[in-house]
């Protein structure tokens, strides 16, 4: 029976100490440690047993298309061997085709094995997040560098700023007034969170609400604390994520595209990448002379009442500490300083920063000037009660000043005065206080995060404070005194901060809406913050109500299953707040089970299970953790949402280009098959020999087919609804188009062969100018009976510079077919070149997307046609491929016969654009019935003609 974990977050410190049988001043002894290790094991993540390499390799061949290619390779080897023996060839060139197939399969297996290792890499990245050492109390003494692997539940651990939490822990004592933890990689919260010792009296609460718990893999950014280890190894929250990643990898399904190819063979979350470059942008209509008394002190507070840092690496500015405080320092740099001499020195220092060799140690000019002017001598840290932070600084005059920043309401509440622009100080009355709060509301409604600023010069016993040896220092040790110290303040003003969405995000949202892509935001932030951000980025239309559109994950999880599915299936944006890893995974799974194709974006460890489970996992390349990147299918280099939308368009374009490739190859190859079938059905000589077909398939078809991968996107690619996941790659209409185009290719290839033998001229072009002998169609069909024809004596004819003559008259249908065969091959090559133009777009006409929209295709067509001309006009190659040169009039006929394939497909595109699916299908059926009737009539009449006229019948 599974042991129920102890709810440490909802228990008092005393209850926790009792539960784990440990004293806060002694810690565990060696006997307790060994006994608990036998029960709980080591504090490390379990390494899942990976599949052996041979198994991974074999799995790559368990695929329908791969099996087909394997069969084709075997047959190709056998045919190549037989043809090689017949032709007396034993070299490598005989086996080119099967070797190419095998190389493709090997490359496919290599890529597949590489992808299979992604899950294992993600788990290894999780292991690297665990802390290596910890300061642990054992038998009354602190062990400063105990390997974190040796921790057991009940261990007492001390954590300081910069430490990584080695296991899940319950905070039992604070050594400083506040403790802040960076846990965004686990919970998705955008800001470090305050932790304390008070229990959370809820048995079932989300991770974000467990304010007395520290989680393995997170980092201490402020304060010192003591905690008791409550969970280790796989029982920690990060261990649970590993289990979820493993489960998600087992649930991994094929992509819709792969499913379609198999059939053929047989959303988001948003991230905003901020700049801290002081030179980027500026203050409107600002000059140093605008700095009045209020702005002067405001700049001082922003620079000194601040624990953030900004460093420059090359031309990239990065922040450390809280983003809000870093933004305030950037504001100071933009404001400058009122000292003229200092400004020139600061500007020189800033230029040195931009061109400095050691960028990491460079300082920003204005903030550094303030630090040197007013030395910081004491800090009153932020806490949740007074919601403010303050510092005591020593002014150049020798007196002390208190600088305060914090939540506007809290700061205003402790202010008794307000400073005016001219530097005078007035008493803050009710109307003044109300005016400030009204202004605060106006700024907040615009999405600004507001901070209030105040100061005080009359510090009483702290007026001459200098160090921790001062008699008043003991008051600074107790945070309960901070509110008293921060009383009777002089209010300076309010600063509104905003991290605006990138300009392209709104357009990207509109593109998503037009393309039928549904965007869902899942975040660890609170509900109101999430709603404000989503409204700002355009997730919801201006008139849309958020009722039924915004849920905390706890609210959503409490809904019945049918209602959850109904909410997710409704059109329009959704936002889920206060999300935990399991919530994200559950939402992704529900979407997939509803038939949706899910692309999940994220950057933290908490996103990894959902990234792995989604059809396509997309991690952030700049802010993303290694765990998220390894669990993803794609890494976003610029952390920009609009890039994802561009990727959707690119993905649709790739899909269309793949269909273009298939459409081109299938219709062309269908034409070759039909030509062979017609030749056999009609009983005429072969119009194409195997070496010619092999040349067309391996050489002349290759460049255009490859170039189709560079087709530009359709003009309306982001105005089309998404494809259903169960849509087939080739529907009945596309198959019909293949058949129509293929039929024309086959008829044209065979037709010109027949016309050369039977017609003296076509469309005014003289076919008989070379002197060859005309025969009837019936004679051509019965050419095998030639030895019985008494009066058949064909004349020699001209082929290029050569005269084709016959020792045996019946050689006219074998040796003598060389020109007719050349015409058929030339028509086949030409018609496939024209057909590649049809494949530029499945729906758009060549008038909308002309051939030069893909210049690579034009180059590829020129290469293919050039290769065909080479085998025609190089005598040695001409003899190898059984062809002869053609004259201009014959080339004109070839082009004339080949070009209509473009007009046929243009008509089919027009029908597709004009007709709805039902009417189009009815039209297809009617055309197929008419074609069947025509074939029956043609075959019947052919039988009647053949029964009436015998070969060379004199009558």
């Amino acid at each position: 029976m599974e042991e129920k974990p102890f709810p440490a977050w909802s228990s008092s410190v005393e209850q926790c100490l009792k539960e784990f049988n440990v004293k806060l001043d002694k810690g565990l002894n060696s006997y307790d440690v060994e006994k608990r290790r036998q029960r709980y094991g080591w504090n490390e993540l379990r390494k899942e047993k990976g599949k052996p390499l041979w198994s991974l390799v074999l799995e790559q061949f368990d695929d329908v298309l791969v099996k087909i290619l394997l069969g084709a390779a075997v047959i190709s080897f056998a045919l190549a061997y037989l043809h090689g023996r017949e032709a007396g060839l034993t070299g490598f060139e005989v086996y080119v085709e099967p070797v190419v197939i095998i190389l493709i399969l090997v490359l496919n297996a290599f890529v597949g094995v590489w992808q299979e290792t992604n899950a294992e890499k993600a788990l290894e990245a999780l292991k690297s997040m665990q802390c290596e050492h910890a300061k642990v109390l054992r038998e009354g003494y602190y062990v400063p560098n105990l390997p974190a692997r040796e921790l057991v539940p009940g261990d007492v651990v001390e954590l300081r700023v910069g430490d990584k939490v080695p296991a899940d822990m319950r905070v039992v004592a604070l050594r400083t007034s506040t403790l802040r933890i960076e846990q965004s990689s686990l919970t998705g919260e955008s800001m470090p969170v305050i932790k304390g010792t008070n229990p959370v009296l809820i048995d079932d609460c989300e991770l974000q609400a467990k304010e007395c718990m520290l989680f393995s893999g997170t980092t201490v950014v402020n304060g010192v604390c003591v905690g008791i280890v409550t969970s280790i190894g796989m029982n920690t929250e990060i261990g649970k994520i590993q289990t979820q990643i493993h489960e998600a990898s087992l649930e991994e399904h094929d992509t819709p595209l792969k499913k379609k190819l198999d059939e053929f063979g047989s959303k988001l979350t948003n991230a905003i990448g901020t700049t801290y470059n002081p030179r980027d942008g500026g203050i409107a209509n600002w000059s140093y002379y605008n700095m009045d008394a209020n702005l002067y002190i405001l700049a001082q507070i922003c620079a000194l009442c601040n624990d953030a840092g900004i460093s420059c690496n090359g031309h990239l500015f990065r922040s450390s500490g809280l983003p809000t405080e870093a933004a305030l320092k950037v504001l100071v740099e933009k404001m400058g300083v009122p000292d003229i001499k200092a400004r020139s020195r600061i500007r020189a220092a800033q230029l040195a920063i931009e061109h400095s060799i050691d960028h990491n140690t460079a300082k920003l000019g204005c903030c550094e000037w303030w630090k040197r002017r007013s030395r910081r001598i004491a800090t009153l840290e932020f806490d949740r009660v007074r919601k403010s932070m303050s510092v005591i600084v020593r002014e150049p005059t020798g007196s002390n000043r208190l600088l305060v920043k914090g939540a506007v309401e809290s700061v205003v509440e402790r202010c008794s005065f307000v400073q005016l622009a001219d530097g005078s100080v007035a008493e803050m009355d009710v109307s003044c206080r109300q005016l400030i709060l009204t202004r605060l509301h106006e700024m907040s409604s615009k999405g600004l995060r507001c901070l209030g600023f105040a100061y005080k010069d009359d510090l009483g016993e702290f007026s001459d404070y200098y160090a921790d040896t001062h008699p008043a220092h003991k008051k600074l040790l107790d945070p309960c005194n901070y509110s008293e110290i921060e009383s009777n303040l002089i209010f300076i003003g309010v600063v509104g901060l905003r991290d605006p969405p990138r300009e392209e995000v709104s357009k990207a949202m509109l593109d998503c809406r037009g393309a039928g892509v549904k965007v869902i935001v899942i975040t660890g932030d609170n509900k109101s913050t999430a709603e404000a951000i989503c409204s700002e980025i355009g997730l919801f239309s201006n008139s849309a109500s958020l009722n039924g559109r915004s849920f905390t994950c706890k609210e959503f999880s409490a809904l019945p299953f049918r209602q959850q599915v109904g909410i997710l299936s409704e059109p329009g944006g959704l936002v889920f707040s206060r999300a935990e890893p399991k919530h994200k995974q559950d939402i992704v799974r529900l979407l997939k089970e509803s038939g949706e194709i899910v692309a999940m974006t994220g950057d933290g460890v908490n996103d990894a299970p959902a990234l792995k489970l989604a059809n396509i996992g997309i991690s952030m390349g700049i802010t993303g953790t290694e765990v998220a990147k390894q669990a993803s299918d794609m890494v976003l280099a610029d952390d920009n949402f609009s890039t994802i939308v561009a990727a959707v368009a690119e993905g649709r374009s790739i899909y269309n280009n793949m269909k273009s490739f298939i459409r081109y190859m299938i219709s062309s190859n269908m034409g070759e098959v039909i030509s062979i079938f017609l030749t056999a059905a009609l009983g005429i000589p072969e119009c194409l020999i195997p070496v010619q077909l092999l040349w067309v398939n391996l050489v002349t078809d290759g460049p255009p087919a490859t170039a189709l991968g560079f087709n530009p996107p359709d003009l309306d690619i982001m105005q089309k609804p998404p494809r259903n996941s169960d849509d087939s790659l080739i529907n009945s209409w596309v198959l019909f188009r293949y058949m129509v185009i293929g039929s024309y290719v086959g008829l044209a290839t065979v037709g010109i062969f027949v016309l050369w033998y039977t017609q003296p001229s076509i469309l005014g072009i003289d076919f008989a100018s070379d002197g060859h002998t005309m025969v009837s169609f019936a004679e051509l069909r019965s050419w095998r009976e030639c030895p019985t024809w008494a009066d058949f004596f064909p004349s020699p004819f001209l082929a290029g510079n050569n005269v084709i003559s016959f020792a045996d008259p019946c050689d006219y249908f074998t040796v003598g077919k060389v020109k007719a065969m050349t015409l058929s091959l030339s028509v086949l090559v030409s018609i496939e070149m024209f057909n590649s133009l049809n494949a530029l777009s499945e729906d758009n006409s060549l008038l909308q997307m002309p051939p030069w929209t893909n210049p690579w295709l034009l180059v590829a067509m020129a290469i293919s046609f050039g290769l065909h001309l080479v085998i025609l006009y190089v005598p040695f190659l001409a003899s190898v491929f059984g062809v002869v040169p053609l004259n201009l009039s014959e080339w004109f006929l070839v082009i004339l016969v080949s070009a209509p394939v473009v007009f046929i497909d243009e008509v089919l595109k027009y029908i597709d654009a004009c007709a709805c699916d039902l009417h189009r299908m009815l039209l297809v059926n009617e055309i197929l019935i008419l074609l069947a009737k025509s074939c029956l009539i043609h075959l019947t009449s052919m039988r009647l003609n053949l029964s009436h006229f015998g070969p060379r019948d004199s009558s």
Side-chain angles (χ1 to χ4, degrees):
M1 187 173 181
E2 187 177 351
E3 183 179 356
K4 186 177 180 180
F6 173 67
W9 64 88
S10 61
S11 305
S12 66
V13 172
E14 292 74 19
Q15 289 174 315
C16 291
L17 293 172
K18 183 178 179 181
E19 171 68 22
F20 291 100
N21 192 23
V22 63
K23 293 182 179 179
L24 196 56
D25 58 343
K26 295 290 184 183
L28 298 175
N29 58 41
S30 300
Y31 175 77
D32 291 332
V33 170
E34 189 59 35
K35 190 175 179 181
R36 297 184 189 202
R37 182 165 297 128
Q38 291 177 4
R39 178 180 178 185
Y40 297 105
W42 297 95
N43 179 33
E44 59 186 3
L45 298 180
R46 181 176 63 248
K47 185 175 182 179
E48 302 291 343
K49 186 177 180 180
K51 296 179 182 178
L53 182 62
W54 63 265
S55 176
L56 291 176
V57 173
L58 286 180
E59 283 183 3
Q60 308 313 312
F61 293 89
D62 187 18
D63 180 271
V64 176
L65 286 178
V66 172
K67 290 175 181 176
I68 290 173
L69 285 174
L70 276 174
V74 172
I75 295 171
S76 182
F77 266 115
L79 292 176
Y81 174 75
L82 294 174
H83 285 310
R85 286 190 60 186
E86 290 177 2
L89 300 173
T90 57
F92 174 76
E93 66 275 4
V94 178
Y95 302 99
V96 170
E97 184 176 359
V99 167
V100 168
I101 295 174
I102 293 298
L103 287 176
I104 291 172
L105 292 176
V106 170
L107 180 62
N108 175 72
F110 173 79
V111 173
V113 170
W114 176 76
Q115 289 176 335
E116 286 287 336
T117 60
N118 275 357
E120 186 174 346
K121 289 179 180 177
L123 302 184
E124 289 300 318
L126 273 174
K127 290 175 71 71
S128 69
M129 289 188 63
Q130 289 187 297
C131 182
E132 295 182 358
H133 296 89
K135 185 178 181 181
V136 185
L137 184 66
R138 293 271 177 91
E139 297 181 338
Y141 298 95
Y142 272 104
V143 182
N145 291 305
L146 183 78
R149 180 175 180 268
E150 298 181 10
L151 288 176
V152 295
D155 262 327
V156 178
V157 180
E158 182 179 287
L159 295 171
R160 293 181 173 273
V161 175
D163 287 348
K164 190 175 286 186
V165 180
D168 284 5
M169 301 168 58
R170 169 67 157 88
V171 181
V172 295
L174 295 181
R175 298 286 192 240
T176 54
S177 58
T178 57
L179 177 69
R180 280 187 284 197
I181 303 293
E182 171 58 61
Q183 60 182 33
S184 62
S185 62
L186 185 70
T187 64
E189 293 165 292
S190 57
M191 302 291 291
V193 295
I194 299 292
K195 297 290 185 175
T197 58
N198 295 328
V200 180
L201 301 178
I202 305 174
D203 287 336
D204 183 20
C205 65
E206 63 269 14
L207 291 180
Q208 294 92 336
K210 297 178 180 179
E211 296 179 349
C212 58
M213 296 295 295
L214 308 181
F215 303 109
S216 178
T218 60
T219 307
V220 181
V221 296
N222 177 257
V224 181
C225 75
V226 174
I228 295 180
V229 175
T230 59
S231 300
I232 62 171
M234 295 301 295
N235 292 323
T236 62
E237 293 298 331
I238 201 171
K240 294 174 184 176
I241 290 177
Q242 171 173 323
T243 303
Q244 292 168 0
I245 292 176
H246 179 64
E247 292 172 352
S249 67
L250 296 178
E251 295 183 31
E252 196 168 16
H253 301 291
D254 292 337
T255 63
L257 178 56
K258 188 174 185 302
K259 289 180 181 178
K260 289 180 173 60
L261 289 173
D262 285 340
E263 292 169 5
F264 182 56
S266 57
K267 111 177 51 56
L268 270 158
T269 55
N270 195 341
I272 301 176
T274 305
T275 174
Y276 292 99
N277 186 350
R279 308 280 80 77
D280 187 4
I283 304 174
N285 301 320
W286 176 261
S287 73
Y288 298 108
Y289 305 103
N290 291 349
M291 192 176 287
D292 57 30
N294 271 17
L295 292 175
Y296 180 89
I297 298 180
L298 180 69
Q300 183 185 27
I301 299 173
C302 290
L304 301 178
C305 190
N306 194 320
D307 289 326
I310 298 177
S311 61
C312 178
N313 185 6
H315 293 285
L316 180 64
F317 286 79
R318 294 186 179 276
S319 69
S320 59
L322 297 177
T324 299
E325 294 191 336
L328 293 176
K329 283 205 168 180
V330 175
L331 175 62
V332 174
E333 294 298 321
K334 293 181 187 295
M335 292 175 70
V337 294
D339 189 310
I340 297 176
K341 293 182 180 179
R343 282 206 299 273
S344 62
R345 292 196 301 272
I346 289 169
R347 180 57 187 154
Q350 289 168 340
L351 289 173
I353 289 173
E354 294 175 5
H355 302 286
S356 171
I357 296 175
D358 187 7
H359 298 287
N360 292 323
T361 60
K363 307 266 187 179
L364 294 182
C366 299
C367 292
E368 187 65 17
W369 181 84
W370 279 110
K371 285 183 180 179
R372 292 178 179 177
R373 179 192 177 280
S374 304
R375 185 169 64 88
R376 179 168 154 176
I377 57 178
T379 301
L380 284 68
E381 295 169 328
F382 177 92
D383 64 48
R384 288 172 293 176
V385 177
R386 69 187 210 286
K387 296 180 181 178
S388 62
M389 168 193 178
S390 58
V391 294
I392 300 175
V393 298
R394 176 65 56 87
E395 291 288 89
T397 59
S399 61
N400 289 346
R401 171 176 283 178
L402 181 71
L403 307 176
V404 184
K405 81 170 190 299
V408 180
E409 299 93 333
S410 300
V411 172
V412 169
E413 186 179 347
R414 295 196 296 277
C415 286
S416 302
F417 308 93
V418 60
Q419 180 169 292
L420 305 180
D422 60 1
S424 61
V425 176
E427 187 175 349
M428 180 179 286
D429 55 18
V430 177
S431 61
C432 179
R433 198 180 303 270
Q434 187 59 44
L435 183 64
I436 294 172
L437 295 177
T438 301
R439 182 60 176 153
L440 169 66
H441 178 72
E442 292 174 0
M443 295 174 69
S444 300
S445 63
K446 295 177 182 177
L448 296 176
R449 184 184 179 195
C450 298
L451 291 174
F453 296 82
Y455 78 101
K456 183 168 72 169
D457 285 329
D458 182 11
L459 300 185
E461 59 185 317
F462 289 96
S463 295
D464 59 348
Y465 180 86
Y466 52 88
D468 56 6
T469 56
H470 190 275
H473 179 72
K474 60 183 179 182
K475 294 191 76 173
L476 296 179
L477 298 178
D478 187 358
C480 295
N481 298 320
Y482 290 177
S483 295
E484 180 188 348
I485 299 171
E486 294 177 351
S487 60
N488 296 319
L489 300 174
I490 302 172
F491 187 75
I492 290 297
V494 177
V495 170
L497 298 101
R498 180 170 173 261
D499 192 359
R502 293 176 176 175
E503 294 179 2
E504 61 269 25
V505 172
S506 296
K507 182 182 181 301
M509 285 292 179
L510 290 174
D511 288 342
C512 285
R513 205 168 293 152
V517 177
K518 184 173 184 176
V519 180
I520 299 176
V521 174
I522 312 175
T523 176
D525 280 329
N526 63 57
K527 191 173 184 179
S528 58
T529 302
E531 289 175 350
I533 293 173
C534 290
S535 298
E536 187 176 11
I537 64 175
L539 180 66
F540 311 111
S541 60
N542 294 332
S543 59
S545 170
L546 296 186
N547 185 29
R549 297 285 177 192
S550 175
F551 302 87
T552 65
C553 284
K554 196 169 183 180
E555 292 170 349
F556 184 73
S557 299
L559 297 175
F561 176 77
R562 288 181 178 273
Q563 192 172 350
Q564 289 179 353
V565 173
I567 290 169
L568 292 175
S569 61
E570 290 180 2
L574 291 170
V575 56
F576 297 97
S577 50
R578 307 302 279 176
E580 295 183 20
K582 187 176 185 303
H583 294 140
K584 298 181 181 183
Q585 203 174 7
D586 289 343
I587 292 172
V588 170
R589 186 178 289 109
L590 277 173
L591 288 166
K592 289 181 66 177
E593 290 174 354
S594 301
E596 300 287 353
I597 306 304
V598 184
M600 167 76 188
T601 69
D603 57 1
V605 176
N606 62 315
D607 298 313
L611 288 169
K612 190 67 181 174
L613 182 61
N615 295 101
I616 299 178
I618 308 171
S619 66
M620 302 301 167
I622 299 174
T623 61
T625 61
E626 283 303 310
V627 176
K629 293 176 186 177
Q630 296 294 347
S632 300
D633 303 290
M634 184 165 63
V635 177
L636 207 59
D638 60 358
D639 288 12
N640 195 335
F641 176 76
S642 62
T643 304
I644 301 175
V645 180
V648 172
E650 185 68 19
R652 290 185 173 189
S653 178
I654 290 171
Y655 181 85
N656 289 345
N657 290 351
M658 185 196 67
K659 289 183 70 176
S660 296
F661 172 88
I662 293 174
R663 186 168 62 252
Y664 169 66
M665 295 301 293
I666 293 292
S667 58
S668 297
N669 284 284
M670 190 177 288
E672 296 170 19
V673 172
I674 290 175
S675 67
I676 296 170
F677 172 78
L678 276 176
T679 302
L682 295 174
I684 63 176
E686 286 182 327
C687 60
L688 295 170
I689 58 176
V691 70
Q692 293 170 346
L693 287 172
L694 190 64
W695 172 259
V696 171
N697 282 311
L698 292 183
V699 182
T700 55
D701 277 357
T706 303
L708 290 174
F710 297 94
N711 280 348
D714 285 352
L715 302 176
D716 56 349
I717 196 164
M718 290 301 282
Q719 279 74 52
K720 294 179 179 178
R723 300 179 305 274
N724 291 326
S725 58
D726 55 354
D727 281 353
S728 58
L729 189 64
I730 300 176
N731 56 34
S732 56
W733 170 249
V734 174
L735 183 61
F736 172 74
R737 286 175 62 176
Y738 289 168
M739 291 178 62
V740 172
I741 298 297
S743 298
Y744 184 79
V745 173
L747 288 171
T749 303
V750 176
I752 199 165
F753 183 90
V754 173
L755 292 173
W756 186 84
Y757 272 104
T758 60
Q759 301 296 322
S761 64
I762 304 171
L763 300 175
I765 300 172
D766 187 6
F767 250 23
S769 62
D770 57 7
H772 77 276
T773 303
M774 298 294 119
V775 296
S776 69
F777 181 63
E779 289 173 332
L780 185 62
R781 295 192 68 229
S782 57
W783 68 278
R784 295 182 187 278
E785 300 174 15
C786 174
T788 64
W789 300 346
D791 56 347
F792 182 61
F793 299 102
S795 305
F797 64 91
L798 190 66
N801 295 325
N802 301 322
V803 176
I804 308 298
S805 59
F806 321 101
D808 182 349
C810 292
D811 288 346
Y812 184 56
F813 297 106
T814 53
V815 177
K817 70 176 182 179
V818 62
K819 179 169 279 192
M821 202 160 52
T822 302
L823 288 168
S824 289
L825 179 62
S826 298
V827 165
L828 180 62
V829 171
S830 301
I831 209 168
E832 291 190 4
M833 296 304 102
F834 282 112
N835 191 30
S836 67
L837 296 177
N838 293 331
L840 270 170
S841 173
E842 184 175 0
D843 303 315
N844 293 331
S845 165
L846 284 174
L847 298 175
Q848 297 171 298
M849 293 187 66
W852 50 85
T853 56
N854 184 356
W856 293 108
L857 179 58
L858 298 179
V859 172
M861 290 170 63
I863 291 173
S864 291
F865 216 81
L867 290 171
H868 180 63
L869 294 177
V870 167
I871 68 168
L872 257 64
Y873 294 97
V874 175
F876 169 73
L877 294 175
S879 63
V880 171
F881 287 96
V883 293
V884 293
L886 300 178
N887 58 39
L888 287 177
S889 60
E890 288 165 341
W891 271 117
F892 180 72
L893 180 63
V894 167
I895 301 300
L896 202 63
V897 172
S898 305
V901 74
V902 174
F903 301 105
I904 292 171
D905 202 56
E906 286 291 295
V907 170
L908 293 173
K909 288 178 181 178
Y910 180 76
I911 293 172
D912 187 33
C914 294
C916 67
D917 288 342
L918 178 60
H919 290 165
R920 187 175 63 196
M921 291 302 103
L922 291 174
L923 181 62
V924 169
N925 291 334
E926 290 177 5
I927 293 174
L928 289 174
I929 292 169
L930 287 173
L931 286 174
K933 288 180 178 179
S934 299
C935 288
L936 287 173
I937 294 170
H938 178 69
L939 289 173
T940 303
S941 63
M942 189 180 296
R943 288 196 187 95
L944 291 173
N945 290 334
L946 290 176
S947 63
H948 189 268
F949 300 104
R952 310 292 301 172
D953 193 335
S954 57
S955 62

